Amino acid sequence: MNYWLMKSEPDVYGINHLEQEGTDHWDGVRNYQARNMMRDQMKPGDLAFFYHSNTEVPGIVGIMEIVREGYPDHTAFDPESKYYDPKSDPDNPRWYMVDVRFVRKLRRVIPLAELKQYPQLADMPLVKKGNRLSIMPVTPEQWDFILSLEDAPA
DNA sequence: GCCAACGTTGGC
DNA sequence: GCCAACGTTGGC
């Protein structure tokens, strides 16, 4: 199984939304690299960190589980949707999404500013300057290390 | 709100 | 196929 990190803006869709829904689809991804990971690599049973971006304290806030592998993102077909993409159609979908299930919140938010301090995480795209990837793989070592921070702030 | 970094688009 | 222009992401 694989580990992931997935970004979302809490004003648009945050961990509380997912907690309420239980299971939801991860729609609206319009980046090819991120799409390829959802379409080709994510499998049910994989775990992912829920990351809050573009907010007061950006950071990792929770854990979710992938429960359905990649399938076409229907919001791309809907002219009413803000994720509408006329270049995607049901016969030849351009964008994909997965379904995720809320697992739990972390006992504290682990801020980006803190994650940047650890040499163990220096290879994560997340902490690199200018990175805009909204979905990225996390190694088992990175996963365990981040979880070890939950009760032991720097 | 600013702006650097980046991805995408489209003219040529 | 190049690359300038543009739009978006996302930290600060």
Side-chain angles (χ1 to χ4, degrees), chain A residues 18-129:
Chain A
L18 183 60
E19 184 175 26
Q20 277 175 16
E21 293 297 321
T23 298
D24 214 340
H25 44 259
W26 199 266
D27 61 16
V29 172
R30 297 292 179 266
N31 167 281
Y32 288 105
Q33 251 184 296
R35 177 207 66 182
N36 291 348
M37 286 186 266
M38 290 200 293
R39 189 190 57 189
D40 306 331
Q41 293 177 255
M42 283 190 179
K43 298 295 172 203
D46 287 359
L47 294 175
F49 285 128
F50 197 125
Y51 178 90
H52 279 176
S53 66
N54 220 339
T55 186
E56 221 168 317
V57 182
I60 295 173
V61 296
I63 297 174
M64 53 193 167
E65 180 188 355
I66 311 302
V67 292
R68 179 174 172 183
E69 65 184 6
Y71 63 106
D73 180 344
H74 56 75
T75 62
F77 311 143
D78 176 8
E80 302 295 306
S81 169
K82 69 171 189 166
Y83 300 123
Y84 178 58
D85 181 354
K87 291 171 185 162
S88 186
D89 70 80
D91 292 333
N92 186 19
R94 174 178 290 206
W95 305 114
Y96 283 72
M97 60 188 179
V98 296
D99 286 354
V100 297
R101 182 179 64 80
F102 176 83
V103 174
R104 67 177 180 90
K105 290 184 187 177
L106 297 190
R107 289 183 284 280
R108 69 179 181 105
V109 176
I110 305 181
L112 176 63
E114 180 183 337
L115 296 170
K116 282 180 169 173
Q117 295 171 7
Y118 302 113
Q120 292 91 331
L121 303 178
D123 288 336
M124 289 188 81
L126 184 71
V127 304
K128 292 187 177 165
K129 192 174 161 189

Side-chain angles (χ1 to χ4, degrees), chain A residues 1-4 47 49 120-121 137-148:
Chain A
M1 70 164 269
N2 295 306
Y3 297 104
W4 306 94
L47 294 175
F49 285 128
Q120 292 91 331
L121 303 178
V138 175
T139 68
E141 292 76 17
Q142 290 162 349
W143 181 272
D144 290 343
F145 179 76
I146 290 168
L147 281 184
S148 79

